Amino acid sequence: MNEGLAIAGGLAGLAGVAGSAVAGLTVVRRRGSYLASGHALARPDDIDPLPGVFRRGLGGLTVPVTPGPRGELFLGPGAPQPGRTLRRLVLTPLFARARGNGGRLARDQPVPFRLVVEVTGAVRDAETLLRAYRILDQQLRDHAALLSHCDGDDLAPGAVTVSVTGIVDVRELLAAQPVRYAFADGSFDDIGSRSAPATLVPMISESWSRRFGWDGLEPIPAEERHLLHAMVRSAHDDGRTVRISGLPEGPRKARAAIWAELGAAGVDVIADHDQRGLARHLRKNPVSRWVAREPLPTRAVRRNSPRPQAPRTERHREAV
């Protein structure tokens, strides 16, 4: 699937083109500073996670939150701390930046910024988790014009795409909404699933260690390299982007070896705590992508949900 998007005007006029039989594997070298493939994982002790992401030009952020009083989602471990809310530290500055830049976060932003909201905390009952999503949904609707959203089968990419993880029943909540401004995080098991179409689960997010054992210290086994490339191709053919996190802890050289393999396989989003090292690596080693040999559309286009048995040739799909 092609992850390239054109951002038209100041609104959500972005659209992508999926990889197909007429596409070629090409290395896309971005002239600007925006690293669409770079994704920051906020640490629990991060006081203010967003400025570093902006400074390094990373294209996404995963932030853990817990529901708290006064209808807010709070960052950080332990009891909610005054002022440390998702709204104040992430949503407000993120969308203020987009509005100040004419509907994008950076002049050379080619795809939506990917914000992954991970609901954490010791309290995991259904009522608490449902309340967490309702809080998030209400806060996102204040920024509807800048968000990727889905209205029925109409998928309109925007400057920011929000995915939700950590809520077991979030897919049912999202699917029941006629218009939604957030999406469910998926896994490779969702490929080809009629119950989890790309309009509901546009991004596959998995931990490296779930399926791979290579730690980057030695050359990658041929079997693991083949599996990685095959799974990424399958996800792209199914109209989804791929995000890999949970990389092994180790020396930066070993981590860089894994980043390089992920980039060579066309993984759309590489997530890591080591923001500085990842940003430096991606500037020197751009991610390989499927690039369609035709102009990109400049507005959102209606697309149906993917069908497992449908032909895989010349399928166009917005990437969010």
Side-chain angles (χ1 to χ4, degrees):
M1 179 185 69
N2 175 28
E3 197 192 23
L5 293 174
I7 302 181
L11 301 177
L14 298 87
V17 182
S20 67
V22 298
L25 189 60
T26 307
V27 175
V28 177
R29 297 186 180 276
R30 295 186 175 84
R31 297 178 181 177
S33 60
Y34 192 83
L35 298 170
S37 299
H39 189 96
L41 299 175
R43 296 184 182 275
D45 58 350
D46 283 345
I47 297 176
D48 192 359
L50 202 54
V53 174
F54 286 157
R55 186 169 60 252
R56 297 182 178 97
L58 298 176
L61 169 68
T62 293
V63 58
V65 301
T66 56
R70 299 181 297 279
E72 296 288 355
L73 297 172
F74 289 81
L75 278 61
Q81 300 296 314
R84 296 215 62 217
T85 66
L86 179 73
R87 187 205 302 261
R88 179 176 179 270
L89 295 178
V90 178
L91 298 184
T92 297
L94 183 65
F95 291 108
R97 184 183 181 96
R99 290 188 181 92
N101 285 317
R104 65 185 78 188
L105 296 171
R107 181 175 299 177
D108 58 332
Q109 180 187 356
V111 296
F113 181 93
R114 292 183 172 87
L115 175 63
V116 180
V117 179
E118 181 181 6
V119 180
T120 62
V123 181
R124 309 298 299 168
D125 64 275
E127 181 178 350
T128 299
L129 296 177
L130 176 62
R131 181 167 68 90
Y133 174 70
R134 286 176 173 166
I135 292 172
L136 176 63
D137 182 54
Q138 182 59 51
Q139 294 182 4
L140 291 179
R141 289 175 186 273
D142 293 338
H143 309 282
L146 293 168
L147 281 164
S148 300
H149 64 279
C150 191
D151 184 351
D153 285 335
D154 290 330
L155 182 62
V160 179
T161 295
V162 178
S163 297
V164 183
T165 186
I167 303 178
V168 174
D169 297 325
V170 72
R171 295 186 183 190
E172 296 180 15
L173 298 175
L174 290 166
Q177 292 182 304
V179 180
R180 56 178 174 271
Y181 294 92
F183 301 86
D185 227 14
S187 74
F188 284 109
D189 296 332
D190 291 314
I191 294 176
S193 171
R194 292 181 180 273
S195 62
T199 51
L200 178 64
V201 185
M203 184 167 67
I204 288 172
S205 297
E206 281 205 4
S207 171
W208 172 263
S209 60
R210 181 181 178 188
R211 299 180 189 268
F212 303 94
W214 182 55
D215 60 6
L217 296 175
E218 302 291 340
I220 184 172
E223 296 82 359
E224 292 205 10
R225 175 180 284 149
H226 175 77
L227 176 62
L228 174 62
H229 283 248
M231 295 182 77
V232 172
R233 283 196 303 270
S234 295
H236 287 174
D237 286 346
D238 205 35
R240 308 176 200 263
T241 55
V242 178
R243 168 180 167 270
I244 299 295
S245 61
L247 304 185
E249 296 292 340
R252 182 172 288 178
K253 183 176 181 180
R255 300 171 74 81
I258 300 177
W259 296 336
E261 288 293 342
L262 295 176
V267 171
D268 306 279
V269 180
I270 302 174
D272 206 309
H273 294 292
D274 184 3
Q275 299 180 29
R276 181 178 300 176
L278 178 61
R280 288 178 177 175
H281 173 84
L282 290 175
R283 293 191 193 286
K284 296 178 180 178
N285 305 276
V287 170
S288 299
R289 300 188 184 284
W290 288 100
V291 178
R293 299 171 184 168
E294 58 181 285
L296 297 179
T298 58
R299 62 184 177 85
V301 184
R302 182 184 176 113
R303 298 290 178 249
N304 293 326
S305 302
R307 295 175 298 170
Q309 303 304 320
R312 293 184 182 272
T313 58
E314 306 229 7
R315 295 195 306 165
H316 305 288
R317 192 173 306 285
E318 296 83 352
V320 299

